[in-house]
Amino acid sequence: MSTPAPTPAPALVDLGPVAQLRAGRLAHRLVQLHVGLVLYGVSLAMMVRGDLGLAPWDVLHSGLARYLPLDLGQVLIVVSFLVLLAWIPLREVPGYGTIANAIVLGLAADATLAVLERPDDVAARLALMLGGILACGTATACYIGAQLGRGPRDGLMTGLHRRTGLSLRLVRTALEITVVVLGLALGGHLGPGTVLFALTIGPITQALLPAFVVALPTPADVGGGAPVSDASR
């Protein structure tokens, strides 16, 4: 008896903002999107309270927060909308998830920071850092899998990749080096957690993504678009 072929994993597809909302299973995808975004904000706060280094973009956010009358999450929201302005010359089109990403992450981060204290014990801080990285990878897979639009920073990366012809890996690396350097110049928090995050977040997200991708019709069935890779921030 022949062994049945395995069922292929659902694919990520690149849909326009209207097609994203018309693609089906919307209630499920909206819940998944917001769960992922809230978890992402929580993961950011965990790394802040772990105090062993932040994700590259958050090095910049923490540096800016030293000079602005804003909480860290509020800085994240402001930077997100500034990044969205860079989408205009790149001709990137935001979706619902793009705007939700720009707002919900910052609100969730500030809410978590308000109730989560920095522990004195180094082991507890290490657990917060490691848990934050794992939670961030899970959150990223969750919100990307909802297929409701890229986050502002992801769209900047893919837009630069498309317009310059450079590889996604090179564009991402250049962006993250740039924001870390700017963040350090502003007094942002760089540490071993920053390096560990940069090395592990991609593999963690890619490993978890198949479990979270919501199966949708092909792009042709919902009005255009093209399959996209599993690469993620």
Side-chain angles (χ1 to χ4, degrees), residues 72-98:
L72 181 62
Q74 294 172 332
V75 171
L76 190 154
I77 293 171
V78 171
V79 171
S80 295
F81 280 100
L82 290 175
V83 169
L84 282 176
L85 292 178
W87 282 33
I88 296 172
L90 297 174
R91 298 182 182 177
E92 287 285 301
V93 180
Y96 171 80
T98 307

PDB file of all heavy atoms in Angstrom, residues 72-98:
ATOM      1  N   LEU A  72       8.350  54.262  26.353  1.00  0.00           N
ATOM      2  CA  LEU A  72       8.977  53.460  25.299  1.00  0.00           C
ATOM      3  C   LEU A  72       7.964  53.029  24.242  1.00  0.00           C
ATOM      4  O   LEU A  72       8.236  53.106  23.043  1.00  0.00           O
ATOM      5  CB  LEU A  72       9.644  52.224  25.926  1.00  0.00           C
ATOM      6  CG  LEU A  72      10.375  51.303  24.943  1.00  0.00           C
ATOM      7  CD1 LEU A  72      11.527  52.022  24.263  1.00  0.00           C
ATOM      8  CD2 LEU A  72      10.878  50.057  25.675  1.00  0.00           C
ATOM      9  N   GLY A  73       6.807  52.562  24.666  1.00  0.00           N
ATOM     10  CA  GLY A  73       5.800  52.133  23.699  1.00  0.00           C
ATOM     11  C   GLY A  73       5.303  53.269  22.834  1.00  0.00           C
ATOM     12  O   GLY A  73       5.017  53.086  21.648  1.00  0.00           O
ATOM     13  N   GLN A  74       5.203  54.464  23.424  1.00  0.00           N
ATOM     14  CA  GLN A  74       4.782  55.626  22.643  1.00  0.00           C
ATOM     15  C   GLN A  74       5.836  55.983  21.601  1.00  0.00           C
ATOM     16  O   GLN A  74       5.503  56.364  20.475  1.00  0.00           O
ATOM     17  CB  GLN A  74       4.525  56.806  23.578  1.00  0.00           C
ATOM     18  CG  GLN A  74       3.345  56.595  24.514  1.00  0.00           C
ATOM     19  CD  GLN A  74       3.226  57.678  25.570  1.00  0.00           C
ATOM     20  OE1 GLN A  74       4.230  58.288  25.961  1.00  0.00           O
ATOM     21  NE2 GLN A  74       2.020  57.927  26.034  1.00  0.00           N
ATOM     22  N   VAL A  75       7.110  55.853  21.966  1.00  0.00           N
ATOM     23  CA  VAL A  75       8.174  56.082  20.991  1.00  0.00           C
ATOM     24  C   VAL A  75       8.066  55.086  19.853  1.00  0.00           C
ATOM     25  O   VAL A  75       8.209  55.435  18.670  1.00  0.00           O
ATOM     26  CB  VAL A  75       9.560  55.974  21.663  1.00  0.00           C
ATOM     27  CG1 VAL A  75      10.675  55.994  20.620  1.00  0.00           C
ATOM     28  CG2 VAL A  75       9.759  57.100  22.667  1.00  0.00           C
ATOM     29  N   LEU A  76       7.791  53.821  20.190  1.00  0.00           N
ATOM     30  CA  LEU A  76       7.635  52.788  19.168  1.00  0.00           C
ATOM     31  C   LEU A  76       6.530  53.165  18.184  1.00  0.00           C
ATOM     32  O   LEU A  76       6.684  52.994  16.969  1.00  0.00           O
ATOM     33  CB  LEU A  76       7.333  51.452  19.841  1.00  0.00           C
ATOM     34  CG  LEU A  76       7.355  50.188  18.982  1.00  0.00           C
ATOM     35  CD1 LEU A  76       7.686  48.972  19.845  1.00  0.00           C
ATOM     36  CD2 LEU A  76       6.011  49.945  18.299  1.00  0.00           C
ATOM     37  N   ILE A  77       5.411  53.674  18.695  1.00  0.00           N
ATOM     38  CA  ILE A  77       4.296  54.064  17.829  1.00  0.00           C
ATOM     39  C   ILE A  77       4.709  55.208  16.900  1.00  0.00           C
ATOM     40  O   ILE A  77       4.439  55.178  15.689  1.00  0.00           O
ATOM     41  CB  ILE A  77       3.072  54.463  18.676  1.00  0.00           C
ATOM     42  CG1 ILE A  77       2.518  53.246  19.425  1.00  0.00           C
ATOM     43  CG2 ILE A  77       1.978  55.091  17.798  1.00  0.00           C
ATOM     44  CD1 ILE A  77       1.447  53.574  20.450  1.00  0.00           C
ATOM     45  N   VAL A  78       5.381  56.223  17.454  1.00  0.00           N
ATOM     46  CA  VAL A  78       5.818  57.364  16.641  1.00  0.00           C
ATOM     47  C   VAL A  78       6.778  56.909  15.550  1.00  0.00           C
ATOM     48  O   VAL A  78       6.642  57.291  14.368  1.00  0.00           O
ATOM     49  CB  VAL A  78       6.469  58.435  17.530  1.00  0.00           C
ATOM     50  CG1 VAL A  78       7.131  59.510  16.673  1.00  0.00           C
ATOM     51  CG2 VAL A  78       5.442  59.059  18.463  1.00  0.00           C
ATOM     52  N   VAL A  79       7.760  56.082  15.919  1.00  0.00           N
ATOM     53  CA  VAL A  79       8.726  55.592  14.933  1.00  0.00           C
ATOM     54  C   VAL A  79       8.024  54.761  13.864  1.00  0.00           C
ATOM     55  O   VAL A  79       8.361  54.850  12.668  1.00  0.00           O
ATOM     56  CB  VAL A  79       9.844  54.787  15.615  1.00  0.00           C
ATOM     57  CG1 VAL A  79      10.728  54.086  14.583  1.00  0.00           C
ATOM     58  CG2 VAL A  79      10.686  55.689  16.500  1.00  0.00           C
ATOM     59  N   SER A  80       7.038  53.967  14.267  1.00  0.00           N
ATOM     60  CA  SER A  80       6.307  53.147  13.298  1.00  0.00           C
ATOM     61  C   SER A  80       5.658  54.005  12.224  1.00  0.00           C
ATOM     62  O   SER A  80       5.731  53.692  11.023  1.00  0.00           O
ATOM     63  CB  SER A  80       5.234  52.312  14.008  1.00  0.00           C
ATOM     64  OG  SER A  80       5.812  51.363  14.878  1.00  0.00           O
ATOM     65  N   PHE A  81       5.043  55.099  12.629  1.00  0.00           N
ATOM     66  CA  PHE A  81       4.384  55.954  11.637  1.00  0.00           C
ATOM     67  C   PHE A  81       5.404  56.738  10.808  1.00  0.00           C
ATOM     68  O   PHE A  81       5.151  57.015   9.630  1.00  0.00           O
ATOM     69  CB  PHE A  81       3.373  56.874  12.312  1.00  0.00           C
ATOM     70  CG  PHE A  81       2.070  56.183  12.626  1.00  0.00           C
ATOM     71  CD1 PHE A  81       1.796  55.725  13.912  1.00  0.00           C
ATOM     72  CD2 PHE A  81       1.133  55.947  11.638  1.00  0.00           C
ATOM     73  CE1 PHE A  81       0.613  55.065  14.193  1.00  0.00           C
ATOM     74  CE2 PHE A  81      -0.059  55.290  11.905  1.00  0.00           C
ATOM     75  CZ  PHE A  81      -0.327  54.848  13.187  1.00  0.00           C
ATOM     76  N   LEU A  82       6.545  57.072  11.387  1.00  0.00           N
ATOM     77  CA  LEU A  82       7.600  57.695  10.591  1.00  0.00           C
ATOM     78  C   LEU A  82       8.132  56.720   9.543  1.00  0.00           C
ATOM     79  O   LEU A  82       8.403  57.101   8.394  1.00  0.00           O
ATOM     80  CB  LEU A  82       8.741  58.162  11.500  1.00  0.00           C
ATOM     81  CG  LEU A  82       8.427  59.349  12.416  1.00  0.00           C
ATOM     82  CD1 LEU A  82       9.601  59.638  13.340  1.00  0.00           C
ATOM     83  CD2 LEU A  82       8.075  60.586  11.595  1.00  0.00           C
ATOM     84  N   VAL A  83       8.283  55.448   9.935  1.00  0.00           N
ATOM     85  CA  VAL A  83       8.718  54.430   8.980  1.00  0.00           C
ATOM     86  C   VAL A  83       7.694  54.278   7.862  1.00  0.00           C
ATOM     87  O   VAL A  83       8.048  54.090   6.688  1.00  0.00           O
ATOM     88  CB  VAL A  83       8.962  53.081   9.695  1.00  0.00           C
ATOM     89  CG1 VAL A  83       9.157  51.949   8.688  1.00  0.00           C
ATOM     90  CG2 VAL A  83      10.176  53.175  10.611  1.00  0.00           C
ATOM     91  N   LEU A  84       6.405  54.379   8.205  1.00  0.00           N
ATOM     92  CA  LEU A  84       5.367  54.265   7.178  1.00  0.00           C
ATOM     93  C   LEU A  84       5.484  55.382   6.139  1.00  0.00           C
ATOM     94  O   LEU A  84       5.118  55.178   4.975  1.00  0.00           O
ATOM     95  CB  LEU A  84       3.977  54.282   7.818  1.00  0.00           C
ATOM     96  CG  LEU A  84       3.530  52.975   8.471  1.00  0.00           C
ATOM     97  CD1 LEU A  84       2.185  53.152   9.153  1.00  0.00           C
ATOM     98  CD2 LEU A  84       3.459  51.859   7.453  1.00  0.00           C
ATOM     99  N   LEU A  85       5.987  56.546   6.537  1.00  0.00           N
ATOM    100  CA  LEU A  85       6.196  57.607   5.555  1.00  0.00           C
ATOM    101  C   LEU A  85       7.224  57.184   4.509  1.00  0.00           C
ATOM    102  O   LEU A  85       7.135  57.595   3.344  1.00  0.00           O
ATOM    103  CB  LEU A  85       6.658  58.887   6.263  1.00  0.00           C
ATOM    104  CG  LEU A  85       5.642  59.577   7.175  1.00  0.00           C
ATOM    105  CD1 LEU A  85       6.274  60.793   7.837  1.00  0.00           C
ATOM    106  CD2 LEU A  85       4.395  59.981   6.397  1.00  0.00           C
ATOM    107  N   ALA A  86       8.194  56.369   4.937  1.00  0.00           N
ATOM    108  CA  ALA A  86       9.205  55.883   3.990  1.00  0.00           C
ATOM    109  C   ALA A  86       8.626  54.877   3.008  1.00  0.00           C
ATOM    110  O   ALA A  86       9.250  54.583   1.982  1.00  0.00           O
ATOM    111  CB  ALA A  86      10.379  55.259   4.748  1.00  0.00           C
ATOM    112  N   TRP A  87       7.438  54.349   3.314  1.00  0.00           N
ATOM    113  CA  TRP A  87       6.777  53.434   2.378  1.00  0.00           C
ATOM    114  C   TRP A  87       6.325  54.174   1.112  1.00  0.00           C
ATOM    115  O   TRP A  87       6.180  53.540   0.059  1.00  0.00           O
ATOM    116  CB  TRP A  87       5.546  52.813   3.026  1.00  0.00           C
ATOM    117  CG  TRP A  87       5.800  51.699   3.991  1.00  0.00           C
ATOM    118  CD1 TRP A  87       6.856  51.554   4.826  1.00  0.00           C
ATOM    119  CD2 TRP A  87       4.951  50.570   4.211  1.00  0.00           C
ATOM    120  NE1 TRP A  87       6.721  50.418   5.563  1.00  0.00           N
ATOM    121  CE2 TRP A  87       5.563  49.794   5.209  1.00  0.00           C
ATOM    122  CE3 TRP A  87       3.728  50.161   3.682  1.00  0.00           C
ATOM    123  CZ2 TRP A  87       4.989  48.611   5.683  1.00  0.00           C
ATOM    124  CZ3 TRP A  87       3.152  48.996   4.148  1.00  0.00           C
ATOM    125  CH2 TRP A  87       3.785  48.222   5.136  1.00  0.00           C
ATOM    126  N   ILE A  88       6.076  55.471   1.223  1.00  0.00           N
ATOM    127  CA  ILE A  88       5.473  56.203   0.100  1.00  0.00           C
ATOM    128  C   ILE A  88       6.362  56.155  -1.142  1.00  0.00           C
ATOM    129  O   ILE A  88       5.905  55.720  -2.212  1.00  0.00           O
ATOM    130  CB  ILE A  88       5.146  57.653   0.512  1.00  0.00           C
ATOM    131  CG1 ILE A  88       4.091  57.649   1.628  1.00  0.00           C
ATOM    132  CG2 ILE A  88       4.640  58.445  -0.695  1.00  0.00           C
ATOM    133  CD1 ILE A  88       3.829  59.024   2.238  1.00  0.00           C
ATOM    134  N   PRO A  89       7.652  56.543  -1.048  1.00  0.00           N
ATOM    135  CA  PRO A  89       8.482  56.440  -2.261  1.00  0.00           C
ATOM    136  C   PRO A  89       8.769  55.000  -2.668  1.00  0.00           C
ATOM    137  O   PRO A  89       9.098  54.740  -3.827  1.00  0.00           O
ATOM    138  CB  PRO A  89       9.768  57.175  -1.873  1.00  0.00           C
ATOM    139  CG  PRO A  89       9.809  57.119  -0.392  1.00  0.00           C
ATOM    140  CD  PRO A  89       8.385  57.194   0.056  1.00  0.00           C
ATOM    141  N   LEU A  90       8.640  54.057  -1.716  1.00  0.00           N
ATOM    142  CA  LEU A  90       8.867  52.648  -2.045  1.00  0.00           C
ATOM    143  C   LEU A  90       7.620  52.002  -2.642  1.00  0.00           C
ATOM    144  O   LEU A  90       7.662  50.843  -3.072  1.00  0.00           O
ATOM    145  CB  LEU A  90       9.287  51.884  -0.779  1.00  0.00           C
ATOM    146  CG  LEU A  90      10.605  52.321  -0.151  1.00  0.00           C
ATOM    147  CD1 LEU A  90      10.817  51.593   1.177  1.00  0.00           C
ATOM    148  CD2 LEU A  90      11.775  52.077  -1.087  1.00  0.00           C
ATOM    149  N   ARG A  91       6.506  52.728  -2.633  1.00  0.00           N
ATOM    150  CA  ARG A  91       5.235  52.259  -3.180  1.00  0.00           C
ATOM    151  C   ARG A  91       4.735  50.985  -2.490  1.00  0.00           C
ATOM    152  O   ARG A  91       4.113  50.129  -3.115  1.00  0.00           O
ATOM    153  CB  ARG A  91       5.349  52.034  -4.698  1.00  0.00           C
ATOM    154  CG  ARG A  91       5.676  53.319  -5.458  1.00  0.00           C
ATOM    155  CD  ARG A  91       5.747  53.094  -6.947  1.00  0.00           C
ATOM    156  NE  ARG A  91       6.109  54.327  -7.649  1.00  0.00           N
ATOM    157  CZ  ARG A  91       6.302  54.412  -8.956  1.00  0.00           C
ATOM    158  NH1 ARG A  91       6.173  53.320  -9.719  1.00  0.00           N
ATOM    159  NH2 ARG A  91       6.625  55.557  -9.510  1.00  0.00           N
ATOM    160  N   GLU A  92       4.994  50.920  -1.199  1.00  0.00           N
ATOM    161  CA  GLU A  92       4.411  49.856  -0.384  1.00  0.00           C
ATOM    162  C   GLU A  92       2.999  50.280   0.021  1.00  0.00           C
ATOM    163  O   GLU A  92       2.732  51.462   0.259  1.00  0.00           O
ATOM    164  CB  GLU A  92       5.259  49.615   0.860  1.00  0.00           C
ATOM    165  CG  GLU A  92       6.571  48.915   0.592  1.00  0.00           C
ATOM    166  CD  GLU A  92       6.374  47.440   0.305  1.00  0.00           C
ATOM    167  OE1 GLU A  92       5.824  46.725   1.152  1.00  0.00           O
ATOM    168  OE2 GLU A  92       6.768  46.997  -0.789  1.00  0.00           O
ATOM    169  N   VAL A  93       2.092  49.317   0.100  1.00  0.00           N
ATOM    170  CA  VAL A  93       0.702  49.611   0.445  1.00  0.00           C
ATOM    171  C   VAL A  93       0.378  48.977   1.793  1.00  0.00           C
ATOM    172  O   VAL A  93       0.482  47.750   1.939  1.00  0.00           O
ATOM    173  CB  VAL A  93      -0.264  49.072  -0.633  1.00  0.00           C
ATOM    174  CG1 VAL A  93      -1.708  49.395  -0.255  1.00  0.00           C
ATOM    175  CG2 VAL A  93       0.075  49.667  -1.987  1.00  0.00           C
ATOM    176  N   PRO A  94       0.015  49.770   2.802  1.00  0.00           N
ATOM    177  CA  PRO A  94      -0.283  49.191   4.114  1.00  0.00           C
ATOM    178  C   PRO A  94      -1.612  48.452   4.115  1.00  0.00           C
ATOM    179  O   PRO A  94      -2.532  48.784   3.367  1.00  0.00           O
ATOM    180  CB  PRO A  94      -0.338  50.413   5.032  1.00  0.00           C
ATOM    181  CG  PRO A  94      -0.719  51.542   4.130  1.00  0.00           C
ATOM    182  CD  PRO A  94      -0.096  51.238   2.796  1.00  0.00           C
ATOM    183  N   GLY A  95      -1.695  47.447   4.964  1.00  0.00           N
ATOM    184  CA  GLY A  95      -2.948  46.753   5.199  1.00  0.00           C
ATOM    185  C   GLY A  95      -3.450  47.052   6.593  1.00  0.00           C
ATOM    186  O   GLY A  95      -2.835  47.823   7.347  1.00  0.00           O
ATOM    187  N   TYR A  96      -4.567  46.430   6.952  1.00  0.00           N
ATOM    188  CA  TYR A  96      -5.095  46.642   8.303  1.00  0.00           C
ATOM    189  C   TYR A  96      -4.056  46.251   9.349  1.00  0.00           C
ATOM    190  O   TYR A  96      -3.844  46.960  10.342  1.00  0.00           O
ATOM    191  CB  TYR A  96      -6.374  45.827   8.518  1.00  0.00           C
ATOM    192  CG  TYR A  96      -6.826  45.847   9.954  1.00  0.00           C
ATOM    193  CD1 TYR A  96      -7.528  46.937  10.454  1.00  0.00           C
ATOM    194  CD2 TYR A  96      -6.506  44.801  10.819  1.00  0.00           C
ATOM    195  CE1 TYR A  96      -7.908  46.985  11.790  1.00  0.00           C
ATOM    196  CE2 TYR A  96      -6.880  44.844  12.153  1.00  0.00           C
ATOM    197  CZ  TYR A  96      -7.578  45.928  12.639  1.00  0.00           C
ATOM    198  OH  TYR A  96      -7.944  45.979  13.964  1.00  0.00           O
ATOM    199  N   GLY A  97      -3.385  45.117   9.131  1.00  0.00           N
ATOM    200  CA  GLY A  97      -2.398  44.648  10.086  1.00  0.00           C
ATOM    201  C   GLY A  97      -1.224  45.588  10.235  1.00  0.00           C
ATOM    202  O   GLY A  97      -0.595  45.641  11.301  1.00  0.00           O
ATOM    203  N   THR A  98      -0.924  46.346   9.194  1.00  0.00           N
ATOM    204  CA  THR A  98       0.179  47.309   9.259  1.00  0.00           C
ATOM    205  C   THR A  98      -0.133  48.403  10.278  1.00  0.00           C
ATOM    206  O   THR A  98       0.700  48.747  11.119  1.00  0.00           O
ATOM    207  CB  THR A  98       0.403  47.951   7.880  1.00  0.00           C
ATOM    208  OG1 THR A  98       0.561  46.928   6.899  1.00  0.00           O
ATOM    209  CG2 THR A  98       1.625  48.846   7.884  1.00  0.00           C
TER     210      THR A  98
END
